[in-house]
């Protein structure tokens, strides 16, 4: 035919090329090899309308009344040279089911010629070379002083030669094979001898061994490969170069903590490795074949992740999978399309539509809803899920009379019954568990031939894990005929109808709340500052919103890798309000602070989007308009969150995504609502809406449905949509650098049991200097880091600084003023600290909620005095600051209790102004409407010189 020049048989990666060319008398189907010719046949049949969606005759589609008119002139080759969806997964099967699966593999062109593979091999090699290892025990790993196990002493030259010779001999005995696996055995047990330790990491040792074998194979054959996984303790890239004939399959799980698959791929390729992917589309003991749990169910895995693998020059793909075509079958089929042609990643929706139309005909619409439950996320296993699954099946049965479509519905009805029995067992009362368990195992075994669930793996694993739940005669190893729980009795049509009819009676849950859309016209909240919250670390994908002002955008300090260093990269992008990228960058995971400064293109808000494989700290200046984006579509992933949110007027519930835990504090002192994975709706009572709430202790993925999806470390930093903005709060009384002695009368001295993490003292120096101060750090946690201090003058210029050990021992703090006047002493401590000064000393504590001020963070029982100037109408303090407290007016009026987490707002009655008030407080104190200074006695109080002071008794 003159087609020989179309093929290159010397190139191992071209052995699956084929041509389909129609002509006047028919069609030529020509392949570079027998397998390639077989691919051409099945491709041609597929173009005529044949489909093999799942294994077995039930899911085969053959067009009726075929009279094709078709013109083709194409040449095909696969995008991935290794396409193995069914690597030996965990769990056995029978010969018939295995043949069905392998025929599906062939018909969908997944049987690649090369046969590149990897899997745990050291244990097998130990068995095959039993005599050699018995003669040379020094070839095995030294662990805790003993030689043995199934890991090798790779530093031993004799061991490396033994394995290289073994690889050569393997291909002498199997000349048609292309690859041998030299992947280490599972788990640990690596050699602890000094020469092996000197070689380096397990990855380096494994590659040294694989490289030597690959070199020997090159000398003898020239076209053979060694396969190895990058997995568990040998997942990190090695310190040596990798031989080009060593194919490294990077495992998508079990990698180093915080390291993404992309990071590993890039690291191995930097060492010269031919990289592949070892995926885990489905593992029965992880997810038990439940809807939406498996990676195989996530269609975005094929839309986005597979093209990313291809972009990173991966051409070899192996996945561990299960014979569970109920939940994962559509995913497996889509995977087969994309592995052959990476362009199919852009046609996933069309592939799904083709599947629904061919399999179910007029019932495609209800079955589309059914598969949306399997492939659309992680639906909770509850009555509502079963109701939706069964009702979709019921509508489909009533919509189609086609025998083929109804047989497929029968398979899926059996799968849904399995899900129902699993749920009934999981939710059963203790006294009913055993009976429900037996019912589940019996049914799973009965439907094993349908391949809807991985019956063998499930029965086997449950028999091992829950042995006490089985009578001895019903254990997995007892064969049918002797095992009362094993029966091959087919599921009858009456049973199937009963499953669907009864299951359709389950109650549907209330519809989820409709997401509320807010405008992108963001502005600062205008609310008072509050004690600053925190976000301990970020992980994964997150976004921050930054508002550009006259000074541009605030800088961000990024510290990637606070848990794991040297693995993975922090990747960031700066987007404008239209999400157009204007800057980007990469930072190493080195646990080092990196300061990012941005050049905005005009005012407005910007998005700082980032991905981090390791735990990362992100900090920004206090008071900067920066907040966390937390939407339903893109929830944030943080740990130990304490933030503030806006609950707009009219909101009756706060609807959130599932989080692990957390507490929502309303603004009126009512009890907080603790959330969990099962509680995602927080009630909002009248009077609690149109205000700022505090959220603490959150962990997990947080996204808001019906309130602005933004959270900030302080209310003044929060950005809010213009249409729900609150009226701006009055400006708080700001601290001033120029303080004078108020000369107020003495009173019984108060106390401060301990300062929190930060504090600010104001000291007045006279001719004798400062009063002597004593600092005792670590009174509730010794040796947790030093107390750091800075002395500044009235203009804010630092004069000296130092640190004091947190050893719970008093240390005198000797300060030298630069002349008379007032000074500022700032302290930062990792734990509670005690600071003492002599009675009558002119020392005042700042307690300010104004920007740039310092809250008094007093942990313990604390009693202090403050001054309320003449004409003051109300005493206000920042919200959510005080844990508890009591306010004492100056005229022996009744004491005023202070509710926790409520803005302090107390009227000042006639005659109570121009006086000193006393407060007992636990927590943060930030004064808003009065001078933000407190002292242990009125005679020690310093005040701004412009404040008129009336001396009272």
């Amino acid at each position: 035919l003159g087609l020989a020049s179309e093929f290159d048989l010397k190139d191992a990666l071209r052995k699956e090329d084929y041509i389909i060319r129609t002509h006047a008398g028919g069609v030529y189907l020509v392949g570079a090899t027998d397998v390639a010719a077989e691919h051409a046949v099945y491709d041609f049949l597929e173009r005529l309308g044949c489909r093999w969606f799942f294994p077995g005759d039930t899911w085969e589609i053959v067009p009726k009344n075929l009279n094709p008119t078709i013109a083709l002139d194409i040449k095909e080759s696969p995008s991935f040279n290794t396409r193995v969806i069914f690597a030996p997964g965990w769990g056995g099967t029978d010969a018939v089911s295995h043949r069905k699966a392998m025929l599906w593999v062939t018909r969908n062109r997944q049987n690649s010629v090369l046969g590149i593979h990897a899997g745990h091999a050291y244990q097998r090699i130990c068995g095959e070379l039993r005599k050699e290892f018995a003669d040379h025990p020094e070839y095995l790993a030294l662990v805790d002083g003993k030689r043995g196990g199934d890991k090798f002493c790779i530093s031993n030259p004799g061991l490396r030669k033994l394995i290289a010779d073994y690889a050569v001999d393997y291909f002498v005995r199997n000349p048609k094979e292309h690859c041998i696996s030299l992947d280490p055995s599972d788990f640990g047990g690596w050699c602890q001898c000094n020469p092996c330790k000197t070689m380096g990491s397990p990855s380096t040792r494994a590659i040294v061994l694989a490289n030597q074998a690959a070199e020997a194979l090159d000398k003898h054959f020239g076209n053979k490969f060694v396969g190895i996984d990058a997995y568990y303790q040998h997942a990190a890239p090695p310190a040596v170069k990798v031989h080009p004939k060593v194919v490294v399959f990077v495992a998508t799980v079990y990698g180093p903590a915080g390291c993404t698959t992309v990071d590993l791929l890039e690291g191995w390729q930097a060492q010269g490795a031919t990289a592949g992917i070892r995926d885990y589309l489905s593992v029965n003991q992880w997810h038990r074949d439940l809807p939406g749990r498996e990676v195989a169910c996530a269609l975005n895995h094929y839309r986005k992740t597979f093209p990313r693998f291809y972009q990173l020059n991966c051409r070899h793909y192996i996945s561990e999978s299960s014979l569970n075509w109920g939940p994962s079958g559509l995913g497996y089929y889509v995977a087969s399309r994309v592995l052959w042609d990476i362009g199919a990643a852009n046609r996933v929706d069309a592939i799904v539509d083709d599947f629904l139309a061919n399999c179910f005909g007029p019932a495609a619409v209800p079955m589309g809803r059914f598969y949306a439950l399997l492939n659309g996320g992680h639906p909770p296993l509850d009555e509502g899920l079963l109701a939706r699954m069964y009702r979709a099946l019921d509508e489909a049965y009533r919509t189609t009379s086609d025998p083929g479509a109804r047989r497929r519905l029968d398979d899926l009805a059996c799968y849904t019954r399995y899900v129902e029995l699993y749920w009934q067992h999981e939710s059963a009362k203790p006294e009913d568990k055993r009976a429900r368990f037996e019912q589940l195992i019996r049914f799973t075994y009965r439907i094993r031939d349908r391949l809807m669930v991985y019956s063998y793996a499930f029965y086997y694993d449950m028999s091992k894990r829950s042995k006490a739940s089985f009578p001895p005669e019903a254990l997995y190893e007892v064969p049918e005929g002797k095992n009362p729980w094993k029966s091959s009795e087919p599921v009858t049509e009456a049973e199937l109808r009963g499953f669907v009819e009864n299951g359709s009676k389950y109650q549907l849950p209330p519809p989820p709340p409709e997401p509320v859309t807010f405008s992108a016209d963001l502005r600062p909240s205008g609310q008072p500052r509050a004690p600053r919250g925190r976000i301990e670390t970020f992980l994964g994908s997150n976004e921050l919103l930054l508002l550009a002002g006259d000074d541009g955008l605030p800088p961000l300090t990024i510290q990637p890798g606070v848990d794991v260093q040297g693995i993975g990269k922090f990747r960031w992008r700066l987007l404008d309000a239209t999400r157009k990228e204007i800057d980007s960058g990469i930072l190493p995971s080195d646990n080092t602070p990196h300061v990012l400064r941005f050049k905005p293109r005009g005012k407005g808000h910007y998005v700082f989007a980032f991905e981090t494989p390791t735990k990362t700290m992100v900090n920004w200046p206090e008071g900067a308009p920066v907040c966390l984006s937390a939407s339903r579509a893109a929830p944030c992933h943080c740990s130990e969150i304490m933030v503030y949110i806006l609950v707009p007027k009219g909101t009756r519930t706060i609807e959130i995504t599932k989080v692990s835990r957390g507490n929502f504090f309303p603004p009126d002192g009512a009890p907080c609502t603790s959330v969990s994975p099962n509680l995602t709706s927080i009630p909002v009572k009248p009077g609690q809406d149109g205000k700022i709430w505090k959220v603490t202790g959150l962990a997990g993925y947080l996204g808001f449905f019906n309130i602005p999806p933004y959270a900030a470390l302080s209310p003044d930093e929060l950005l809010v949509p213009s249409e729900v903005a609150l009226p701006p709060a009055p400006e708080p009384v700001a601290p001033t650098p120029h303080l004078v002695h108020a000369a107020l009368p003495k009173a019984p001295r108060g106390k401060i049991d301990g300062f929190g993490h930060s504090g600010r003292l104001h000291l007045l120096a006279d001719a004798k200097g400062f009063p002597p101060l004593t600092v005792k750090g670590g009174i509730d946690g010794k040796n947790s880091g030093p107390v750091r201090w800075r002395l500044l003058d009235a203009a804010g210029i630092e004069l000296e600084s130092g640190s004091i050990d947190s050893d719970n021992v008093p240390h005198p703090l000797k300060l030298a003023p630069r002349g008379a006047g007032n000074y500022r002493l700032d302290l930062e401590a990792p734990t509670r600290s005690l600071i003492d000064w002599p009675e009558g000393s002119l020392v005042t504590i700042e307690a300010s909620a104004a920007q740039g001020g310092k809250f008094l963070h007093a942990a313990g029982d604390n009693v202090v005095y403050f001054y309320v100037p003449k004409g003051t109408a109300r005493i206000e303090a920042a919200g959510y600051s005080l844990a508890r407290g009591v306010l004492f007016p100056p005229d022996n009026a009744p004491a005023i209790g202070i509710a926790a987490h409520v803005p302090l707002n107390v009227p000042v009655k006639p005659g109570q102004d121009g006086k000193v008030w006393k407060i007992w407080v636990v927590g943060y104190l930030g004064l808003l409407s009065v001078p933000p200074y407190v002292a242990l006695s009125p005679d020690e109080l310093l005040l701004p010189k412009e404040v008129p002071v009336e001396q009272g008794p």
Side-chain angles (χ1 to χ4, degrees):
L1 300 177
L3 297 177
S5 61
E6 298 280 353
F7 302 101
D8 181 3
L9 298 184
K10 294 180 181 179
D11 186 346
L13 302 181
R14 299 286 304 279
K15 291 188 175 184
E16 293 187 74
D17 293 4
Y18 62 83
I19 288 172
I20 301 178
R21 183 171 296 168
T22 53
H23 55 88
V27 58
Y28 296 129
L29 308 176
V30 183
T33 58
D34 289 350
V35 171
E38 193 172 42
H39 290 342
V41 170
Y42 283 115
D43 184 346
F44 182 65
L45 291 174
E46 187 176 313
R47 293 172 190 272
L48 298 181
C50 295
R51 299 287 187 276
W52 299 275
F53 290 113
F54 299 175
D57 295 343
T58 297
W59 295 88
E60 180 183 57
I61 304 295
V62 178
K64 298 176 182 178
N65 306 318
L66 185 65
N67 185 19
T69 300
I70 189 169
L72 296 171
D73 186 3
I74 60 172
K75 183 177 181 180
E76 284 279 318
S77 58
S79 295
F80 287 80
N81 299 107
T82 301
R83 306 173 305 285
V84 181
I85 294 176
F86 294 103
W90 190 95
T93 187
D94 61 87
V96 174
S97 298
H98 180 74
R99 282 197 298 272
K100 287 181 182 178
M102 291 305 101
L103 186 54
W104 180 91
V105 165
T106 299
R107 288 170 164 173
N108 286 283
R109 290 172 287 161
Q110 298 303 292
N111 54 329
S112 49
V113 172
L114 274 179
I116 304 294
H117 64 279
H120 302 310
Y122 286 9
Q123 189 173 20
R124 185 194 71 244
I125 294 171
C126 285
E128 294 183 18
L129 301 179
R130 190 177 294 106
K131 182 180 183 304
E132 287 81 352
F133 283 106
D135 293 341
H136 294 277
E138 71 275 13
Y139 288 175
L140 293 173
L142 179 70
V143 180
D144 297 331
K146 296 181 179 180
R147 295 279 180 181
D150 51 22
K151 287 289 195 305
F152 302 148
C153 182
I154 297 175
S155 63
N156 190 308
L159 177 279
R160 296 199 300 272
K161 184 177 186 305
L162 175 68
I163 300 304
D165 292 345
Y166 169 83
V168 171
D169 181 64
Y170 172 82
F171 287 110
V172 170
R173 292 182 285 110
N174 301 278
K176 293 184 178 180
E177 295 295 323
H178 292 90
C179 181
I180 182 173
S181 175
L182 292 181
D183 187 54
S185 54
D186 208 347
F187 307 113
W190 289 88
C191 188
Q192 298 169 352
C193 76
N194 288 329
C196 278
K197 290 180 180 178
T198 302
M199 287 184 73
S201 68
S203 302
T204 299
R205 300 182 216 176
I207 286 300
V208 167
L209 182 63
N211 280 349
Q212 187 162 330
E215 290 168 3
L217 294 176
D218 261 358
K219 290 177 183 178
H220 285 81
F221 306 104
N223 60 348
K224 304 298 183 183
F225 296 85
V226 173
I228 187 173
D229 289 331
Y231 165 91
Y232 190 40
Q233 292 182 349
H234 60 284
V240 297
K241 290 294 183 179
V242 183
H243 192 284
K245 294 292 180 60
V246 176
V247 181
V248 180
F249 290 88
V250 173
T252 55
V253 299
Y254 297 124
C259 194
T260 67
T261 303
V262 170
D263 296 325
L264 291 173
L265 282 170
E266 291 178 341
W268 280 93
Q269 288 175 331
Q271 291 294 62
T274 300
I277 288 293
R278 182 178 179 86
D279 212 352
Y280 295 82
L281 291 180
S282 172
V283 181
N284 179 269
Q285 65 266 44
W286 291 356
H287 303 297
R288 298 303 186 202
D289 298 345
L290 295 173
R293 305 304 201 268
E294 308 282 4
V295 174
C297 301
L299 299 185
N300 271 343
H301 191 52
Y302 316 113
R303 288 189 183 97
K304 297 180 178 180
T305 311
F306 276 32
R308 183 68 171 134
F309 294 155
Y310 189 81
Q311 181 187 22
L312 290 168
N313 204 34
C314 288
R315 297 296 183 266
H316 304 280
Y317 177 90
I318 294 176
S319 176
E320 188 166 318
S321 303
S322 303
L323 296 178
N324 62 337
W325 293 79
S328 301
L330 180 54
Y332 294 156
Y333 179 74
V334 172
S336 72
R337 307 295 92 187
V338 178
L339 287 172
W340 181 266
D341 174 13
I342 196 63
N346 298 320
R347 303 191 298 273
V348 169
D349 290 342
I351 294 170
V352 172
D353 290 343
D354 178 74
F355 164 79
L356 294 171
N358 274 290
C359 287
F360 307 109
V365 172
M367 292 313 295
R369 296 199 303 272
F370 182 91
Y371 272 96
L373 297 171
L374 305 188
N375 300 107
H378 194 292
L381 181 61
D382 57 18
E383 182 177 344
L385 173 63
L386 291 165
R388 289 191 289 266
M389 292 176 72
Y390 273 126
R391 291 184 188 198
L393 288 171
D394 182 51
E395 183 180 341
Y397 273 119
R398 289 185 282 105
T399 304
T400 181
S401 58
D402 177 74
R406 293 180 73 87
R407 285 195 301 271
R408 295 174 202 115
L409 295 177
D410 290 347
D411 276 356
L412 296 171
C414 286
Y415 170 66
T416 305
R417 175 60 174 165
Y418 162 79
V419 176
E420 179 183 19
L421 291 173
Y422 195 99
W423 170 69
Q424 289 176 348
H425 168 248
E426 287 284 288
S427 57
K429 297 177 180 179
E431 61 269 23
D432 298 331
K433 282 274 188 185
R434 182 73 176 266
R436 292 294 191 187
F437 183 77
E438 178 180 346
Q439 193 177 12
L440 172 63
I441 297 295
R442 284 176 176 270
F443 185 77
T444 304
Y445 185 81
R446 279 182 70 192
I447 65 170
R448 67 193 186 284
D449 293 341
R450 294 179 182 267
L451 304 186
M452 290 291 102
V453 297
Y454 199 0
S455 302
Y456 289 95
F458 182 68
Y459 199 143
Y460 177 83
D461 189 48
M462 296 302 286
S463 181
K464 299 301 180 185
R465 292 175 188 260
S466 306
K467 193 171 184 178
S469 299
F470 290 82
E473 65 274 13
L475 291 171
Y476 176 81
E477 56 267 21
V478 181
E480 187 174 350
K482 297 180 180 180
N483 188 327
W485 287 15
K486 288 184 176 181
S487 170
S488 297
E489 178 186 0
V491 178
T492 66
E493 185 172 345
E495 285 181 288
L496 289 166
R497 299 295 89 78
F499 298 156
V500 175
E501 182 179 350
N502 294 328
S504 298
K505 296 175 183 176
Y506 283 121
Q507 293 299 309
L508 287 170
E514 286 292 325
V516 178
T517 302
F518 297 92
S519 75
D521 180 17
L522 302 180
R523 59 189 61 183
S525 71
Q527 299 308 298
R529 183 166 162 261
R532 206 161 190 246
R534 67 176 185 141
I535 299 173
E536 189 173 86
T537 54
F538 290 90
L539 189 64
S541 299
N542 288 276
E543 292 184 354
L544 297 176
L545 271 73
L546 300 79
L547 193 65
D550 294 334
D551 297 329
L553 289 168
L556 300 179
T557 301
I558 314 295
Q559 187 171 336
V562 296
D563 56 343
V564 181
Q565 290 84 56
I567 295 177
K569 299 179 180 67
F570 180 96
R571 304 170 189 272
W572 63 268
R573 297 182 302 143
L574 185 68
L575 315 172
D576 65 15
T578 66
R579 300 193 70 84
K580 179 182 178 181
E581 182 176 310
I582 60 175
D583 200 358
S584 64
I586 297 175
L587 298 175
S589 295
D590 55 5
N591 197 23
T592 299
H594 301 265
V595 179
L596 298 181
R597 303 183 187 277
F598 311 105
K599 294 181 179 179
R601 298 178 183 176
K603 293 187 178 181
H605 80 265
Y606 290 78
V607 178
F608 180 74
F610 60 91
E611 294 182 7
T612 173
T614 58
K615 289 184 177 180
T616 295
M617 295 172 60
V618 181
N619 294 310
W620 52 92
E622 190 171 338
V626 178
C627 60
L628 181 66
S629 179
S631 68
R632 176 191 182 187
C636 62
H637 186 195
C638 314
S639 62
E640 295 306 322
I641 304 174
M642 177 185 153
V643 290
Y644 299 86
I645 59 174
L646 171 64
V647 177
K649 195 73 176 173
T651 305
R652 292 293 167 258
T653 60
I654 303 170
E655 305 294 339
I656 63 171
T657 53
K658 287 189 175 184
V659 296
S660 302
R661 54 182 165 80
N663 301 297
F664 281 70
F665 288 89
D668 59 356
C672 72
T673 299
S674 295
V675 295
S676 65
N678 296 320
L679 180 62
T680 58
S681 184
I682 298 96
V684 178
K685 296 179 181 178
Q688 295 175 342
D689 56 332
K691 295 180 180 177
I692 302 289
W693 286 51
K694 182 170 75 172
V695 184
T696 68
L698 268 177
Y701 290 88
L702 174 65
F704 295 105
F705 285 68
N706 64 330
I707 67 170
Y710 313 113
L713 299 186
S714 177
D716 62 314
E717 299 178 20
L718 184 63
L719 300 176
V720 298
S722 58
E723 67 271 21
V724 293
L726 302 177
E731 285 294 323
V733 177
T736 175
H738 301 291
L739 302 179
V740 296
H741 184 208
L744 291 161
K746 186 178 180 181
R749 204 164 194 247
K751 63 175 181 175
I752 292 183
D753 274 353
F755 284 92
H757 296 293
S758 64
R760 177 173 293 167
L761 304 181
H762 293 268
L763 299 83
L764 197 62
D766 56 18
K768 296 180 182 179
F770 291 125
L773 299 179
T774 302
V775 179
K776 184 196 289 188
I779 61 177
D780 58 358
K782 295 170 63 175
N783 302 319
S784 53
V787 178
R788 303 185 185 278
W789 60 268
R790 296 190 308 146
L791 180 68
L792 303 95
D793 65 14
I797 298 173
E798 184 177 309
L799 303 178
E800 56 179 315
S801 63
S803 62
I804 295 170
D805 291 338
S806 293
D807 53 8
N808 200 21
V809 174
H811 295 270
L813 184 60
K814 297 178 181 179
L815 304 173
R818 310 254 178 108
N822 53 78
Y823 293 81
R824 196 177 92 195
L825 180 65
D826 286 351
L827 301 114
E828 297 287 341
T831 58
R832 199 156 57 102
S833 302
L834 188 62
I835 305 174
D836 285 327
W837 53 90
E839 188 173 346
S841 299
L842 300 184
V843 178
T844 287
I845 308 148
E846 190 167 304
S848 174
Q851 205 61 254
K854 206 78 163 174
F855 283 91
L856 165 63
H857 182 194
D861 291 326
N862 309 285
V863 178
V864 292
Y865 298 85
F866 64 94
Y867 185 71
V868 177
K870 196 71 174 175
T872 302
R874 310 187 76 82
I875 298 172
E876 298 178 51
Y880 306 103
S881 54
L882 302 177
R884 59 184 182 276
V886 179
L887 193 61
F888 297 92
D891 55 358
N892 294 322
I896 302 166
I898 300 171
H901 308 295
V902 179
L904 180 64
N905 194 325
V906 174
V908 178
K909 297 178 181 179
Q912 294 178 338
D913 55 337
K915 304 279 179 65
V916 172
W917 287 55
K918 182 171 71 173
I919 186 170
W920 170 74
V921 58
V922 177
Y924 289 87
L925 177 62
L927 297 171
L928 290 166
S929 59
V930 299
Y933 305 100
V934 300
L936 297 184
S937 174
D939 66 314
E940 300 178 16
L941 188 62
L942 303 175
L943 290 173
K945 60 183 179 181
E946 62 269 19
V947 174
V949 175
E950 295 187 6
Q951 295 187 10

